Amino acid sequence: MTADQIASETVINMFAGTNTTANALTWAMHLLLLHLQYMERAQQEVCEHFAPSHVIGYNEACLNLPFLEACVYEALRLRAPANNLPCTVSRGGVVLHGHFIPNHCTVSVSIHACNTNAETWDQLLVYNPERFINCPECKHMVLTFSAGVQVCLGWYLALWEIMTTLANVLNNYVLEVPGDAVYMPQ
């Protein structure tokens, strides 16, 4: 790659990562606001471990805030900021579930379908962070950042931003849904 191509790819990745991380953080906060029992529990967990003036770092958040981390993973499972994972079939084609796909075709995996697969998840459309407390290996079943050679290069940075932002917001502010809000969990 030329220097210009590298610069172009870097800018594209920075913008893509910024947008998807912001969307993930927005969904995490939105889902907590819709499920106040989890919001209160996450806020209590944060306030039990940190003084209000303390700026919480990522390592501190991961070590001390397992419920908040579970809330983040559940938001990423239910509301992935990207919809699919496209891949171009390589030379020779491939057989998927008995169907031949020729080379140069694009095949996509639906992140939402994987993250809400009934064979993997109980109560698949219900926001329930508890599933990650009782099943730590479930974090590896969330396909939001993909996996293997297709894994998102910025997944660690995204988690760092989401965890530290949520931890510090919950440590210093009380968030509420307005009484006349239109969108409430029904």
Side-chain angles (χ1 to χ4, degrees):
M1 289 178 73
T2 68
D4 285 344
Q5 288 172 323
I6 292 171
S8 176
E9 288 295 318
T10 301
V11 169
I12 288 169
N13 285 326
M14 289 293 289
F15 282 123
T18 301
N19 189 33
T20 53
T21 301
N23 285 338
L25 178 59
T26 300
W27 274 113
M29 291 181 110
H30 178 75
L31 289 166
L32 283 171
L33 283 165
L34 291 179
H35 300 87
L36 293 178
Q37 73 276 23
Y38 296 130
M39 167 76 89
E40 290 167 2
R41 184 171 165 190
Q43 192 149 37
Q44 180 181 1
E45 179 183 65
V46 172
C47 293
E48 284 176 359
H49 286 91
F50 302 103
S53 60
H54 181 74
V55 177
I56 304 166
Y58 178 68
N59 289 337
E60 292 175 305
C62 288
L63 289 172
N64 296 295
L65 306 174
F67 187 73
L68 181 62
E69 183 181 45
C71 292
V72 169
Y73 271 93
E74 182 67 343
L76 291 169
R77 184 187 74 79
L78 278 177
R79 298 290 184 226
N83 296 323
N84 61 44
L85 300 170
C87 183
T88 302
V89 176
S90 61
R91 236 181 293 153
V94 66
V95 176
L96 298 174
H97 294 280
H99 300 279
F100 178 74
I101 312 295
N103 65 320
H104 302 297
C105 285
T106 300
V107 178
S108 289
V109 174
S110 168
I111 294 171
H112 181 71
C114 293
N115 285 349
T116 57
N117 185 320
E119 292 180 18
T120 305
W121 306 100
D122 293 329
Q123 298 179 316
L124 46 117
L125 297 178
V126 174
Y127 179 77
N128 178 15
E130 295 284 346
R131 72 178 85 238
F132 292 97
I133 296 295
N134 302 327
C135 177
E137 64 273 8
C138 287
K139 289 190 265 186
H140 301 291
M141 294 187 281
V142 175
L143 193 64
T144 300
F145 295 110
S146 189
V149 297
Q150 295 287 325
V151 73
C152 172
L153 296 175
W155 75 269
Y156 183 79
L157 180 59
L159 280 177
W160 179 88
E161 289 181 61
I162 296 165
M163 282 293 292
T164 56
T165 301
L166 273 179
N168 285 291
V169 166
L170 293 178
N171 197 33
N172 291 289
Y173 301 96
V174 175
L175 305 175
E176 296 177 348
V177 175
D180 61 348
V182 176
Y183 299 104
M184 296 297 294
Q186 311 302 21

